[in-house]
Amino acid sequence: LSLHDALPILIRSVAEGGAGNYQYEVYYKKASSSKWSRVHDYSSYYAFNIIPAKATKYDVRVNIKDKNGDVATKFLSFEVTK
């Protein structure tokens, strides 16, 4: 996925299976970095905005926890170009 002009990016998480009552925790980072930045801590909110700081590749990590405390993690990558 390539995007232009570093505009806000809306990402929606959809969970299924598990025990329901999902909570979402979201992080992102530049692909060249090892340091993740938290977008938001666990909450029932499933959509979130990321506003990239500059044109580069980014990774997104979403942790999804169900009511039993079981956690699944999904990753997404995108690139912002000028």
Side-chain angles (χ1 to χ4, degrees):
L1 176 63
S2 291
L3 305 162
H4 297 281
D5 298 324
L7 297 172
I9 299 164
L10 175 65
I11 298 179
R12 294 183 185 169
S13 302
V14 177
E16 56 185 29
N21 293 333
Y22 305 110
Q23 299 282 307
Y24 303 87
E25 179 183 49
V26 181
Y27 295 85
Y28 83 108
K29 68 178 185 74
K30 293 177 186 172
S32 61
S33 175
S34 60
K35 182 180 178 189
W36 291 93
S37 296
R38 181 182 285 148
V39 176
H40 70 76
D41 202 358
Y42 279 110
S43 76
S44 60
Y45 192 65
Y46 61 89
F48 52 92
N49 284 311
I50 294 175
I51 302 173
K54 67 179 203 173
T56 191
K57 293 180 181 180
Y58 292 89
D59 297 324
V60 177
R61 182 178 85 208
V62 180
N63 298 324
I64 305 162
K65 180 168 53 174
D66 69 11
K67 70 180 180 182
N68 292 336
D70 294 325
V71 177
T73 301
K74 297 295 179 183
F75 295 91
L76 164 75
S77 296
F78 64 90
E79 182 175 3
V80 175
T81 58
K82 289 231 174 214

